[in-house]
Amino acid sequence: MLLPSAVTTVVIILLSVGVRLSEGRLELVNNGYEDLVVAISPSVNESDAMDIIEAIKRTVSEASAILFKATHQRAFFKDVKILLPMTWASTTYDQIAFNQHFQSSDIRVDVSNAVYGDQPYTDQPGGCGVPGRYIHLTPDYLLNNEEAAWWGPRPKTLVHEWAKLRWGVFAEIGYPNDPTSPPFFWNSSGVNGAENVSPTYCANRELSGELRDALTNTSCSYADGLPDANCRFFPNTTQEASSSLMGYYHIDNIVEFCDSDSASDFSHDALAPSRHNLMCEGRSAWDVMGLHPDFDGGANPPATSSSPTKFTVLRQEVVKIALVLDYSFGMSNAQRIQKLQRAVKRWILYEAPDGIYLGIIKFWGSAFRSAQLTEITGQSRRNLASHIDTLLNSGTSIGAGLQVAIYDVLKNQNNPVILVVSGSPENEYPYIDDMLSKVVQSGVRVVTVALGNEAEIKLQTLASATGGKAFAVSDDDEGGALDEALLGALAYQPEGSLKDVQVKLHGFTRHAENETVTESFTVDASVGRKLEFRLDTDRAVAFSERPHLIRPSGTRINAISADGVLWAVSLPVAEVGSWIWSLTLPASGNCYIRVSVTAKGREPEILPILSRAWLSVGPYGVDIPNNPVIVYAEIKQGNNPVVDARVRATVTQPSEDLDAVELDLLDNGQGADTQAGDGVYSRYYTVYPGAGRYSVEVQVWGDGYTFVNNGSEKSKQQFLKTPTYCCGSVVPSVPERGVSTGNFSRTVAVGSFQVLATLPAGDLFPPSRVTDLQVSAAPLFLDLTWTAPGDDLDAGAVAGYAIRLSENRTDLEDDSFDTRGNETLLLTLEESANMTELLLEAGQKITLNLTLEDELESNRTYFVGIRAVDDVGLVSAVSNPVVVVSLEYPPPSTPPSSPHLQAWAIVLMASASLVAVGMVAGCVAYARKRRLRTATDSIYPVAFRYAEKDVWCGPPSPSAA
């Protein structure tokens, strides 16, 4: 066994690094998963190291056997790497990690998220079939048997989460107080409508158990025919059912996933309002899993047996970076070589942390090593920076630079990264294609920076194929974007504890002439310790008024410089508030100015607010319009979500003649966003004027309405011995426990993506699917609410809607919705096109009141669905199906006067909603024709008071008769 050597390194986390989905280098080979990485955060106490390592081995080994059985002997965990932080100085390990990193690991052991506590969860921002980002386990969960017991056996819990991570399926249970995935629903399988109330789950046999109040352990109370929010289903410990592991997996008999091909009478129920049914439009877990490359087309057919899991304990090592720089004549255009020289020299001198290793390779028609791999120290920085000149040569062979990098500079090195900066198309052998397989085989990650529109288009492919990241920088950029892109190579430097993260608060890049430059930045309440202000210029400048800072209190701090090029201010702790920096150039002066302001968490126990951002191009690559690009940004303090921030993505388009496109990213659980309130903000990108590179940057702002969700006090329900799982469509929050962030701002360089083919003209994107349709009803009324989709997915406003109500569920399926007769139409596209109150911008809430032509029959099941259409006739998928069941109740003791009196309670269930409505007096039974009403229509002055469970109707106006 090896012990870590003593390495002292300044560890900097890169906030602009993208976060990949969990596909990476993990592979299923001959039924065995290889290169699965379980990484331990540096925030975890090293004193528990050996116990955590043993718990990981035991849990994964036992989970492997369960996974093998659950997948019909098609998958198990064969080879697992346990990755230790570089900061752990005394824990034994097997070998140094080659290219494994915490931020690209599959399972992460980290401090708790306040919302989830010690509950295992999968970070899963994508849609159905899209792999998650990682599984989160806490040290207490792994080490404390009593804590782990709340969530079920550890091995089965891990298989449950693995299915989410790997195959993009979701939980098949309900969540208390979740409007789209409720814990109970009206079972509509009966011939004549509602038969009984059922818990939300999927199983191949009906589960036996009882309903109990979680707080009192007494019988459940009911509200309008359904169990109230405190009610839980308590399944018996022994069942006949064997599925589903996405449901009540803690039951001993549950060892399989739900399958729609089951011969049982209780096969997958597409109408149960589970999160899986909502996200996957009623398909079973196995139906979704079967489309994944692990199993699609008969891949990995059943094996006779599995092998024991092999574990290797690794420790991270400092990153080794080979700078591969373009020195061909194409770099003379738009001053690319000058921009490269300024940015790379600054990166070497000021940004690259001490302790990493750096080598320099220059290429044109050939390539050579300009500087061998050298440890970054105060002494070596200037020597390495001196290699960055502006001398150019003919020809361009990026492959030649890659060849020198992998066979010379990075040969036999651990944690190797190549950083390619190029602004010219290839024209000489070897090309990227000639070296691509060799680079991939070497295990090196490649970060690419494309300068200008002439840069080689294969740079994007090179980054993607190696698990790296691609950036694109416009020729119009003064150099700020290039500075940020260069930081991408530091993504693979091992992280330190979050309390030591150096957060970038402000950046400024500009050419200035004969002027006073004054800018401001904010030091927020989460940062301020060890604030560093750095201003550097491209040459020594004698300022008329030298650079300085002005505190929020108004006092001035002059910057200090030893060489007239770098000016700096360092503060142990900076005041919260708005700061100003300023300088004045001499009358004949001009220079390139670059400013950076960074700080750490205000106190060691106060973690900084961090922003990460990334791009998703769908599970199987860019496929417009089937898999459009999604821009994601995650805002957290520690592991806790930051809610109600303003997040804006700026997308620079391929042509410099086109303005950048701005997208306001949302955390509302609609459109591209799959879960509201989780601190992950997202939006589809739908503007594609042509082929080329699209570069993305994200800005984040917080204000007095932005807060950190610190969770809630969870009752562990000692009576039932079963927890309340989190989280469904909405991450709950308790405002009084949340902490205001105050004002803050962050900027994140996300990266770029490449569109290779010219897209067809016209509208490519239909509206996104409505997933939160809810309905409340009286015998002659339906009140519908939903969130508006967009003309193009989640952008713009739709042109209209079609709404159907039918006794036949198949009438609301995508293939049949538009072909059914008018008798099921509640609202036509033509009618809705003239209702401006329905044609709202994406993300806004819509309410529609409908008067029915005929009363809903008692004890009969009806289904409601909605489909949106855009201005060229493209239609969305049909919404979540809402089930409407009318139950006849005794009339109220003092009913209002009416010649047509009936008492009703209408209980509504959806695969994405559950709404209960109280007693309704049928005072409008004379209205035999279908009418459309808005919430402000005075013809029927109806006041719904849901809390008191009654409804009163005023007298109809004469015009209503």
Side-chain angles (χ1 to χ4, degrees):
M1 302 293 285
L2 301 176
L3 282 171
S5 58
V7 178
T8 302
T9 306
V10 178
V11 180
I12 297 179
I13 187 172
L14 177 67
L15 302 184
S16 62
V17 58
V19 186
R20 64 109 168 117
L21 298 179
S22 179
E23 290 287 345
R25 303 187 181 210
L26 174 70
E27 290 185 287
L28 184 59
V29 180
N30 296 326
N31 304 101
Y33 284 111
E34 299 181 354
D35 292 323
L36 188 159
V37 178
V38 182
I40 303 174
S41 166
S43 297
V44 173
N45 194 326
E46 189 180 2
S47 63
D48 295 323
M50 297 311 299
D51 290 337
I52 290 174
I53 291 170
E54 289 307 310
I56 292 170
K57 291 181 177 180
R58 182 172 58 253
T59 300
V60 176
S61 292
E62 294 174 4
S64 182
I66 295 170
L67 181 67
F68 190 60
K69 179 177 177 61
T71 57
H72 309 308
Q73 300 178 246
R74 298 178 69 178
F76 64 94
F77 298 130
K78 181 180 180 181
D79 176 61
V80 176
K81 307 291 193 300
I82 300 175
L83 183 64
L84 308 183
M86 191 175 69
T87 53
W88 282 14
S90 58
T91 304
T92 57
Y93 59 93
D94 298 321
Q95 61 191 52
I96 291 292
F98 177 61
N99 60 7
Q100 295 81 11
H101 304 88
F102 181 82
Q103 287 295 343
S104 60
S105 59
D106 307 290
I107 303 173
R108 303 180 189 177
V109 180
D110 201 354
V111 295
S112 66
N113 175 318
V115 174
Y116 289 89
D118 289 311
Q119 174 191 334
Y121 68 90
T122 300
D123 191 293
Q124 196 175 7
C128 183
V130 178
R133 290 168 64 203
Y134 58 87
I135 296 171
H136 182 281
L137 306 176
T138 68
D140 281 351
Y141 172 78
L142 288 170
L143 301 179
N144 185 327
N145 290 334
E146 183 178 355
E147 178 61 42
W150 288 112
W151 315 108
R154 287 191 187 97
K156 292 178 77 175
T157 301
L158 182 59
V159 172
H160 172 87
E161 299 301 331
W162 180 259
K164 300 177 187 177
L165 177 78
R166 183 66 177 177
W167 304 309
V169 299
F170 295 83
E172 291 176 323
I173 57 172
Y175 299 89
N177 301 308
D178 191 319
T180 64
S181 300
F184 299 99
F185 69 103
W186 283 102
N187 186 335
S188 60
S189 61
V191 175
N192 294 317
E195 291 287 297
N196 54 14
V197 172
S198 293
T200 300
Y201 63 79
C202 189
N204 58 351
R205 294 288 190 277
E206 186 173 11
L207 300 183
S208 60
E210 62 178 332
L211 306 186
R212 307 291 289 174
D213 189 289
L215 303 182
T216 64
N217 195 30
T218 59
S219 297
C220 288
S221 298
Y222 283 69
D224 304 312
L226 287 171
D228 67 12
N230 294 327
C231 189
R232 302 289 184 271
F233 175 55
F234 189 26
N236 295 332
T237 55
T238 302
Q239 303 282 348
E240 293 184 4
S242 59
S243 64
S244 168
L245 285 166
M246 300 314 296
Y248 290 103
Y249 60 85
H250 64 275
I251 299 172
D252 290 343
N253 307 63
I254 303 299
V255 293
E256 298 177 338
F257 295 102
C258 260
D259 189 345
S260 61
D261 291 335
S262 171
S264 167
D265 292 337
F266 294 94
S267 61
H268 175 71
D269 183 359
L271 285 176
S274 68
R275 183 153 171 76
H276 178 80
N277 275 338
L278 170 66
M279 299 300 298
C280 296
E281 300 185 38
R283 290 178 292 164
S284 73
W286 252 117
D287 287 343
V288 176
M289 293 160 55
L291 296 176
H292 191 279
D294 284 353
F295 308 125
D296 190 26
N300 293 289
T304 56
S305 63
S306 62
S307 60
T309 307
K310 175 188 175 183
F311 293 93
T312 307
V313 180
L314 309 175
R315 199 201 73 160
Q316 284 191 286
E317 189 174 87
V318 293
V319 68
K320 318 299 191 311
I321 300 175
L323 279 176
V324 178
L325 306 178
D326 189 347
Y327 275 79
S328 64
F329 283 141
M331 292 291 288
S332 63
N333 297 335
Q335 295 190 321
R336 291 173 194 150
I337 190 61
Q338 287 79 13
K339 292 176 182 177
L340 180 149
Q341 183 188 42
R342 284 198 302 263
V344 173
K345 288 185 72 170
R346 155 173 255 289
W347 184 83
I348 294 172
L349 290 170
Y350 311 127
E351 304 288 357
D354 284 342
I356 73 167
Y357 287 78
L358 185 67
I360 300 173
I361 299 159
K362 298 179 180 179
F363 71 87
W364 45 87
S366 58
F368 80 102
R369 184 190 68 200
S370 180
Q372 66 182 4
L373 205 61
T374 303
E375 183 180 4
I376 294 286
T377 64
Q379 187 69 27
S380 67
R381 289 180 187 273
R382 293 200 175 277
N383 178 53
L384 286 167
S386 68
H387 289 266
I388 311 302
D389 54 33
T390 59
L391 301 177
L392 304 180
N393 288 282
S394 62
T396 305
S397 174
I398 298 175
L402 297 172
Q403 194 170 48
V404 174
I406 63 173
Y407 293 128
D408 182 356
V409 174
L410 295 177
K411 186 177 181 179
N412 299 324
Q413 296 295 328
N414 291 313
N415 201 1
V417 171
I418 295 174
L419 173 56
V420 180
V421 184
S422 176
S424 311
E426 299 177 293
N427 58 22
E428 290 197 23
Y429 178 85
Y431 297 92
I432 289 176
D433 283 344
D434 299 313
M435 292 298 301
L436 186 58
S437 63
K438 299 179 179 65
V439 173
V440 171
Q441 187 177 7
S442 75
V444 174
R445 293 184 191 264
V446 182
V447 176
T448 63
V449 182
L451 295 181
N453 292 334
E454 298 171 18
E456 175 57 49
I457 62 173
K458 292 294 181 65
L459 290 173
Q460 187 88 29
T461 304
L462 179 62
S464 299
T466 60
K469 193 171 177 69
F471 295 87
V473 179
S474 167
D475 279 333
D476 290 339
D477 184 78
E478 290 281 355
L482 177 55
D483 291 326
E484 296 296 328
L486 287 171
L487 291 173
L490 298 180
Y492 308 106
Q493 168 67 357
E495 295 183 355
S497 174
L498 291 179
K499 67 183 181 181
D500 293 320
V501 170
Q502 197 79 14
V503 180
K504 184 172 181 178
L505 305 180
H506 175 69
F508 176 89
T509 303
R510 204 177 85 191
H511 234 81
E513 296 185 21
N514 313 328
E515 61 182 304
T516 296
V517 180
T518 301
E519 294 287 331
S520 64
F521 61 90
T522 298
V523 176
D524 61 83
S526 77
V527 295
R529 183 169 54 99
K530 295 187 177 180
L531 181 137
E532 299 286 341
F533 167 85
R534 290 198 301 265
L535 180 150
D536 67 285
T537 57
D538 56 349
R539 57 185 177 79
V541 178
F543 293 103
S544 299
E545 183 178 35
R546 67 176 175 170
H548 60 274
L549 296 178
I550 300 177
R551 300 176 185 267
S553 61
T555 58
R556 172 171 166 157
I557 309 170
N558 287 325
I560 298 173
S561 177
D563 55 9
V565 174
L566 174 65
W567 298 77
V569 174
S570 298
L571 298 174
V573 180
E575 302 169 32
V576 173
S578 180
W579 288 67
I580 296 172
W581 66 266
S582 183
L583 58 84
T584 302
L585 291 168
S588 59
N590 68 84
C591 66
Y592 169 88
I593 298 170
R594 207 275 193 176
V595 171
S596 176
V597 181
T598 61
K600 295 185 178 183
R602 178 155 296 277
E603 300 173 16
E605 62 272 18
I606 299 179
L607 299 177
I609 294 172
L610 304 180
S611 302
R612 292 183 174 92
W614 67 99
L615 302 169
S616 170
V617 294
Y620 311 116
V622 176
D623 180 13
I624 299 169
N626 296 323
N627 288 312
V629 171
I630 302 175
V631 183
Y632 290 98
E634 177 187 69
I635 322 299
K636 289 188 175 180
Q637 185 173 35
N639 281 325
N640 300 340
V642 174
V643 184
D644 290 337
R646 290 189 299 130
V647 184
R648 178 167 295 168
T650 301
V651 182
T652 302
Q653 301 188 81
S655 172
E656 295 174 3
D657 297 330
L658 296 173
D659 293 334
V661 176
E662 293 187 340
L663 293 176
D664 287 323
L665 309 188
L666 303 176
D667 185 15
N668 64 352
Q670 303 300 316
D673 193 67
T674 60
Q675 189 177 52
D678 62 350
V680 176
Y681 300 71
S682 60
R683 205 74 179 266
Y684 288 108
Y685 182 71
T686 59
V687 181
Y688 297 96
R693 290 186 184 86
Y694 295 74
S695 183
V696 186
E697 181 182 79
V698 165
Q699 290 182 290
V700 181
W701 301 272
D703 54 28
Y705 297 98
T706 308
F707 68 96
V708 180
N709 186 350
N710 286 320
S712 59
E713 295 293 342
K714 294 183 174 64
S715 167
K716 290 190 175 177
Q717 303 164 19
Q718 298 293 335
F719 290 120
L720 292 186
K721 299 297 182 183
T722 185
T724 298
Y725 287 88
C726 186
C727 296
S729 62
V730 179
V731 174
S733 63
V734 179
E736 54 268 26
R737 286 180 58 84
V739 175
S740 174
T741 64
N743 294 328
F744 75 91
S745 63
R746 302 287 187 269
T747 299
V748 188
V750 183
S752 63
F753 61 92
Q754 186 87 28
V755 176
L756 298 178
T758 300
L759 301 175
D763 194 335
L764 300 176
F765 300 99
S768 57
R769 179 183 179 227
V770 172
T771 58
D772 64 343
L773 177 64
Q774 298 184 53
V775 185
S776 59
L780 281 169
F781 296 126
L782 291 180
D783 290 338
L784 298 84
T785 62
W786 68 91
T787 301
D791 176 89
D792 294 324
L793 298 173
D794 57 8
V798 302
Y801 298 93
I803 303 175
R804 288 188 183 273
L805 179 144
S806 176
E807 297 177 38
N808 189 347
R809 169 67 178 85
T810 60
D811 287 350
L812 304 186
E813 294 178 353
D814 281 322
D815 293 339
S816 58
F817 189 91
D818 295 329
T819 62
R820 292 301 184 256
N822 292 335
E823 67 276 6
T824 64
L825 274 172
L826 294 179
L827 183 68
T828 68
L829 295 174
E830 293 76 13
E831 290 171 325
S832 64
N834 296 317
M835 301 174 66
T836 57
E837 64 272 21
L838 301 184
L839 310 181
L840 303 182
E841 285 289 317
Q844 297 189 43
K845 281 290 185 181
I846 295 175
T847 298
L848 173 65
N849 309 116
L850 296 175
T851 303
L852 303 177
E853 184 174 349
D854 298 302
E855 292 182 356
L856 299 175
E857 293 186 31
S858 176
N859 294 323
R860 183 168 293 279
T861 297
Y862 298 88
F863 301 89
V864 179
I866 184 171
R867 167 170 265 172
V869 64
D870 69 10
D871 56 356
V872 298
L874 297 178
V875 297
S876 71
V878 179
S879 71
N880 54 292
V882 178
V883 178
V884 179
V885 179
S886 60
L887 299 179
E888 190 164 5
Y889 273 58
S893 57
T894 56
S897 176
S898 172
H900 304 279
L901 185 62
Q902 286 181 311
W904 295 75
I906 307 299
V907 182
L908 309 156
M909 181 284 298
S911 68
S913 67
L914 179 67
V915 181
V917 179
M919 308 303 294
V920 179
C923 58
V924 288
Y926 58 84
R928 305 311 303 169
K929 292 187 176 181
R930 178 169 53 87
R931 293 183 57 95
L932 306 180
R933 299 183 296 133
T934 67
T936 58
D937 196 333
S938 61
I939 294 179
Y940 302 113
V942 180
F944 290 87
R945 298 206 302 276
Y946 298 103
E948 286 101 71
K949 302 182 179 63
D950 72 285
V951 176
W952 64 266
C953 297
S957 68
S959 61

